[in-house]
Amino acid sequence: MKLTAEISMYPLKEDYVAPIRWFIQRLDSYPNIERRTNAMATQVVGDYAEVMQMLATEMQAAHEQFGKAVFVCKFIGGALDLGHSE
């Protein structure tokens, strides 16, 4: 089963851009997961278990690397077309 997830990271520090970029670059290391980022959030699509494992791994890594950060996620079962726009 496929999963589409939208995730936003809010590092609790003044220099918040660098941790967000670091997190997004790490998501790109997963070849089976498609990623799209806009000004508000990052969307990913892939196998359900792979997406969930990736998010667990990378959110933990971000907390270990940068300390406190808030992650806001939305999930929808199935693969959405990340290139779709109206």
Side-chain angles (χ1 to χ4, degrees), residues 45-64:
V45 175
D47 178 75
Y48 195 105
E50 288 183 62
V51 169
M52 294 302 283
Q53 181 59 53
M54 174 194 71
L55 291 176
T57 298
E58 298 308 331
M59 287 190 295
Q60 180 178 345
H63 285 129
E64 290 171 350

Side-chain angles (χ1 to χ4, degrees), residues 6-24 27 37-43 58-59 62-63 65-74:
E6 179 176 274
I7 185 164
S8 298
M9 178 185 183
Y10 301 96
L12 300 180
K13 58 190 316 166
E14 268 189 57
D15 178 24
Y16 60 88
V17 175
I20 293 169
R21 287 188 176 148
W22 178 89
F23 182 77
I24 292 169
L27 299 184
T37 298
N38 61 42
M40 296 291 294
T42 295
Q43 295 86 29
E58 298 308 331
M59 287 190 295
H63 285 129
Q65 180 77 18
F66 299 105
K68 294 180 181 172
V70 175
F71 288 92
V72 177
C73 301
K74 298 178 192 176

